[in-house]
Each structure stands twice: as structure tokens, then as C-alpha cells.
């Protein structure tokens, strides 16, 4: 689980904290793998309180002393990563601990975007909004037992992410507004080619299509520069031209390789492709199949592979660095997987997994009712009976206004009740419209009146 290069703690007090934290982490991992019951809030909070207490003791031990990272820090990070994902699983997304794992993923993504120097305005906009939301959560945390040092830690992580984000946004601003769509399109094309390159069946024709589009973009330049309507060179022209050249060069490399990946790098490649594919499936079936704690194993696998690089590249058993094609392909797979994890985290609903079956049914009902409304409504109130019956059956599941699971009241009651109310409102609107239409007499034509 932990990187062997990280030294063990020398202080006896830290060793005792390490032993207790490992026991907590092991309990969290066992709970993560247990699918026989849903995750209960009280079970998570007990382990959260134990972790907070051990970190408090650790901080007391280290007070006033120079600190070097050791295995304790790694296990603390593992505990907080797991607890963060557990907070999402139990529906407490809007509390500070839930932000921990997301800040880790955002930092990884930003580091990779900086290293690759390949990103679009949309990439940065999404992360900017997420960081703003996380900042609000930390400053207005609803935790019943707040831990100031954890909230301070998360706030510091958010600020580091913002600093990285700001540096990337500056690069976007250095490109003239009229030229930014072209830059974004080039980023999109390069990513599309990376997807094609890692498919199980390589398709050269798909690469040739992108190559033709790249050449069309290149033909818009005059004397090698992107210019405006008056012939003036646009700000950022050189950078976008370099990106275009990078895309064209990549098409040559990919076509030469024809989907063949070197055998000695195949084990890492297969692991990363498998992670990417599994995360892709989860992104399609998230509402019904994802338990947020599942993301922990993917994160840790990616972290280990990413951190195994030497000076930014992987090296083989003889100490030889991977060639450019291998490096770019593996980095793409890592970035794509981190991107999936980020998407899955921000899409997590503030509802306990115990209530997710009800919540998902209501979301499906709402989509159906909205679709009916957008297609012109119904001709008879009788057509709404299936929806009404389902809504009433869900509503009747409540006990004193709460959705109960055994003796527990799972988190997310407000979200489920709000969604249920929206469905009832939509159903009512459609029924009223259908009844009003039925009561309105149909105008008769002259021919019908004469007959």
C-alpha cells in the first residue's frame, strides 16, 4: 500500500500513532469492500473521530520540531482519502472532509495539464467552479464535530490548486479571443487521436480524418501566422502554430505505430487501459453502480504508476527511459483516468447510498415527465396513472415524513423529498392541462354543422 522509499518514523510516539492509524485504515478498507449492507453514517463518524484524534496527537508530538515526511504522513493521507470518499458515499458531500479527495484529484490533473501544456478553456472553467464550491464548503462546513486543522489543510490544498489554475489561465489569456476556438479545437483533435491510438482495434482512417482537418486549419494561416481580417498577426499565433505542428507530428507517430505498443511497456499499458475502460463504464452507469469509495483503488493505482516516473519519464529494468510515443501514450491514459475520477466525484449526489435506489427512480420519473411535457403533454389524465401510482408508492414509503432504512434515517432526506415534490408538481401540471383540454369544446366546421 505504501511506497517503500518512505522512511518509518523514528519517534516512539509517532510509531504508536502509525500503528493506530494503520488499524483505522484497515477498518476503512474492510468497510469499503463490504457490499452486504449500505454504509451507515455512524460507522463512518466513529472512524473519522478516531482518525482526527490520532492526527491531533501527531500534531502535538511534532509541535516545535522539524518534520520530515515519513510513513505516518502517507497513512494519514490514505485515511483522509478514504474518509473523504466515505463522506460522499453517505451523502455528506457538503462537509469539509468530503473535499479532501477531490482536491487531490484536481491537483493531479492540474499538474498533468501543466506538464503536458495541453488544455482548453473548458477544462479550466470546470475546475475553477469546483474549487470555488469547495472553498465555500470549507468555510461554511456543517460538520457537527469540526476539525480546524483538517479544514486548514484542505484550504491550503485549494489555494495551491488555485495558484496552478491561475498560471494556466494566464496562458489562455495570452491567446487572442478570435484564436481561442482554434486552440481548443486543436486540443480536442489531439485528444481524439489519443483515444483512437489506445482502442483495441486501431483505425488509420480515423487518424487520416483528423489529419485532413489539421491541414485545413493550417491552410488558414498566412505566411505561417494566424491573422485577423485586416491581416494583423493575432496574439498567441506562434503558440497555436506550435500546437498545430505538435498535432501533425503526433499523427505521423501514431500512423507509424499502427496501434502496436512495445512489449516491455505492455504491462503498465494494459493496467492503465483497464483502469480507463472501467472508469468509462462507471461514468455511464454511475447512478446505479457507483459507490464513491470504489474510486480509492483506482486513485492509488494511478498514483503509484504516476509516481514511479524518474524525471518525468518511466525507465525500464536497464535504466533506459521510455521513448516519446510510449511516454505520451501512458501519460494520456493517466490523465484521462484522473479526468474520469474528477467527473465521477463532482457528479456525486448528496444522498446516502441507502436512499440512492429511491433517488434514482425519482430522477428517471422526472426525466420521463419532462419529456412528456416537452412533447405536448397527454390527451387524457388516464395516461398519467402509471406515473401517479409510482409517485404515491414512493411517497407511502415515508415514516413520519422520513425515508427510513431499518431504524436509520439516511442522509439526503431533503434532496429526495425535493425531487419527489418536483415530480408531483410536474404530474399535477400535466393532469390539469389534460383536463382543461378535455373540457374545451372542439370547434365544428361549417360542413359538419350542415350535416
Amino acid at each position: 500500500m505504501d511506497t517503500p522509499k518512505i522512511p518509518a518514523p523514528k519517534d516512539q510516539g509517532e510509531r504508536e500513532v502509525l500503528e493506530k492509524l494503520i488499524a483505522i485504515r484497515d477498518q476503512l478498507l474492510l468497510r469499503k469492500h463490504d457490499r452486504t449492507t449500505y454504509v451507515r453514517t455512524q460507522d463512518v463518524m466513529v472512524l473519522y473521530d478516531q482518525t482526527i484524534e490520532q492526527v491531533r496527537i501527531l500534531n502535538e508530538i511534532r509541535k516545535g520540531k522539524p518534520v520530515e515526511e515519513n510513513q505516518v504522513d502517507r497513512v494519514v493521507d490514505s485515511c483522509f482519502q478514504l474518509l473523504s470518499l466515505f463522506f460522499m458515499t453517505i451523502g455528506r458531500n457538503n462537509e469539509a472532509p468530503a473535499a479532501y479527495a477531490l482536491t487531490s484529484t484536481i491537483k493531479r490533473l492540474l499538474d498533468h495539464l501543466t506538464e503536458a501544456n495541453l488544455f482548453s478553456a473548458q477544462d479550466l472553467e470546470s475546475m475553477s467552479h469546483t474549487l470555488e464550491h469547495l472553498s465555500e464548503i470549507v468555510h461554511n462546513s456543517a460538520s457537527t464535530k469540526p476539525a480546524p486543522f483538517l479544514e486548514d489543510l484542505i484550504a491550503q490544498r485549494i489555494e495551491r490548486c488555485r495558484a496552478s489554475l491561475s498560471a494556466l489561465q494566464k496562458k489562455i489569456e495570452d491567446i487572442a479571443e478570435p484564436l481561442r476556438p482554434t486552440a481548443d479545437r486543436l486540443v480536442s483533435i489531439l485528444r481524439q487521436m489519443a483515444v483512437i491510438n489506445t482502442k483495441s482495434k486501431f483505425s488509420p482512417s480515423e487518424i487520416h480524418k483528423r489529419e485532413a482537418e489539421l491541414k485545413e486549419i493550417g491552410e488558414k494561416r498566412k505566411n505561417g501566422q494566424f491573422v485577423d481580417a485586416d491581416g494583423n498577426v493575432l496574439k498567441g499565433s506562434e503558440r497555436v502554430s506550435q500546437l498545430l505542428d505538435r498535432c501533425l507530428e503526433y499523427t505521423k507517430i501514431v500512423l507509424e505505430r499502427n496501434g502496436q505498443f512495445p512489449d516491455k511497456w505492455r504491462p503498465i499499458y494494459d493496467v492503465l487501459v483497464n483502469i480507463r475502460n472501467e472508469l468509462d463504464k462507471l461514468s455511464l452507469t454511475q447512478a446505479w453502480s457507483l459507490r464513491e469509495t470504489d474510486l480509492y483503488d483506482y486513485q492509488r493505482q494511478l498514483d503509484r504508476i504516476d509516481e514511479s516516473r524518474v524525471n518525468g519519464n518511466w525507465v525500464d529494468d536497464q535504466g533506459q527511459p521510455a521513448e516519446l510515443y510510449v511516454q505520451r501514450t501512458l501519460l494520456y491514459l493517466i490523465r484521462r483516468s484522473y479526468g474520469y475520477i474528477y467527473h465521477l466525484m463532482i457528479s456525486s449526489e448528496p444522498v446516502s447510498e441507502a436512499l440512492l435506489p429511491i433517488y434514482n427512480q425519482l430522477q428517471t420519473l422526472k426525466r420521463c415527465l419532462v419529456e412528456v411535457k416537452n412533447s405536448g403533454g397527454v390527451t387524457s389524465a388516464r395516461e398519467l396513472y402509471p406515473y401517479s401510482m409510482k409517485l404515491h408508492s414512493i411517497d407511502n414509503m415515508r415514516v413520519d415524513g422520513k425515508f427510513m432504512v431499518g431504524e436509520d434515517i439516511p442522509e439526503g432526506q431533503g434532496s429526495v423529498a425535493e425531487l419527489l415534490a418536483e415530480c408531483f408538481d410536474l404530474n399535477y401540471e400535466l393532469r390539469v392541462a389534460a383536463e382543461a383540454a378535455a373540457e374545451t369544446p372542439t370547434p365544428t366546421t361549417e360542413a359538419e354543422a350542415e350535416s
Side-chain angles (χ1 to χ4, degrees), residues 371-379 430:
E371 184 63 31
V372 170
K373 182 178 179 180
N374 292 339
S375 61
V378 294
T379 56
L430 288 166

Side-chain angles (χ1 to χ4, degrees), residues 10 86 175 216 400 403 414:
K10 297 175 182 177
F86 269 113
I175 299 175
E216 284 181 20
D400 296 328
F403 289 98

Side-chain angles (χ1 to χ4, degrees), residues 313-326:
N313 200 357
W314 288 271
V315 294
D316 60 19
D317 295 337
Q318 285 73 45
Q320 296 299 310
E323 59 188 288
L324 184 62
Y325 170 75
V326 171

Side-chain angles (χ1 to χ4, degrees), residues 222-233:
K222 291 185 179 179
N223 299 322
Q225 299 281 1
F226 289 98
V227 298
D228 61 18
D230 299 324
N232 301 312
V233 177

